[in-house]
Amino acid sequence: PWTSRQGHNIGKPYRNRLARTRDGGKTWVVESPQGYYQPGDTWKPMPPSGIDWSHPDTIIRVICDGYHAGGGPTSGMVQLSNDRGRSWLGPLVLPEITDPQTGKSLALQLSARTELHRQPDGTIRLLGSAKENRLLARERCFSATWTDSGRRLTDFRWITPATVSERAIMPASTWDTSGKGLAVVRVR
């Protein structure tokens, strides 16, 4: 429910909803689709077979630790819909992101500001923001490639350098057909 207060104007209990438009954004309908993750729902490990995101009606929703989702793993979760958001599967635990040099887990705490792009080679490019340490309030934006039917996140790169002392969130990007991209981030 709406509440007027400092920060986010949302009160408990938190309920996740989906907004849909069928006329290019002129009008919107708020929906509560079947299986749409709510705080407290049970999450599942990624199945050994992975997930199929090749269906033309597939929508991928990334759910991150905190920010009204709560209760899930810090590595984040994902939900899939193969019917344009009418029903949802999951949530499934996202694979951990590893350091490309050492192969060790970065133990990131993902925040709920993500973006996904299907790349020309069929992989999914995940842009998001994360904390490297739960005690730090500062988030940094990153890019990673989601491969192997969702079982691995590879090619991890920070978008914002460690020298940026402000919080960097909400990456928004555009990509050309060759896979080259440009991202802007919110820094405050």
Side-chain angles (χ1 to χ4, degrees):
W2 175 267
T3 182
S4 181
R5 67 178 191 180
Q6 182 76 18
H8 289 293
N9 291 320
I10 186 171
K12 292 182 180 181
Y14 303 135
R15 300 300 299 165
N16 294 314
R17 304 283 188 259
L18 177 76
R20 181 187 307 275
T21 182
R22 297 180 193 273
D23 58 10
K26 294 177 185 169
T27 60
W28 292 84
V29 176
V30 177
E31 302 174 354
S32 296
Q34 176 186 346
Y36 203 63
Y37 178 78
Q38 299 298 329
D41 285 357
T42 303
W43 45 272
K44 305 163 188 77
M46 185 70 67
S49 61
I51 53 178
D52 178 12
W53 56 58
S54 64
H55 192 283
D57 293 335
T58 295
I59 299 172
I60 302 170
R61 175 185 181 212
V62 176
I63 307 165
C64 302
D65 184 53
Y67 196 75
H68 317 308
T74 58
S75 61
M77 300 175 287
V78 64
Q79 276 198 289
L80 293 159
S81 171
N82 288 328
D83 59 8
R84 297 185 181 214
R86 289 174 186 81
S87 63
W88 292 83
L89 304 170
L92 306 171
V93 177
L94 273 173
E96 282 200 89
I97 298 174
T98 58
D99 184 299
Q101 279 77 40
T102 66
K104 293 181 180 178
S105 172
L106 291 173
L108 299 176
Q109 178 186 2
L110 267 62
S111 57
R113 292 152 178 101
T114 56
E115 180 176 280
L116 299 165
H117 291 276
R118 188 180 310 273
Q119 300 296 292
D121 63 1
T123 60
I124 302 289
R125 173 66 61 180
L126 167 66
L127 280 76
S129 55
K131 295 178 186 179
E132 292 181 81
N133 179 323
R134 280 185 164 274
L135 302 176
L136 297 175
R138 184 175 63 96
E139 294 159 283
R140 293 172 62 195
C141 293
F142 69 89
S143 171
T145 303
W146 201 8
T147 64
D148 197 22
S149 298
R151 291 186 292 264
R152 293 186 309 135
L153 280 166
T154 62
D155 193 29
F156 176 86
R157 301 287 184 264
W158 287 112
I159 296 172
T160 47
T163 56
V164 174
S165 60
E166 294 85 6
R167 181 178 185 219
I169 58 173
M170 299 178 174
S173 64
T174 184
W175 299 82
D176 67 18
T177 55
S178 72
K180 293 180 182 176
L182 172 69
V184 295
V185 300
R186 177 181 170 194
V187 178
R188 63 178 177 109

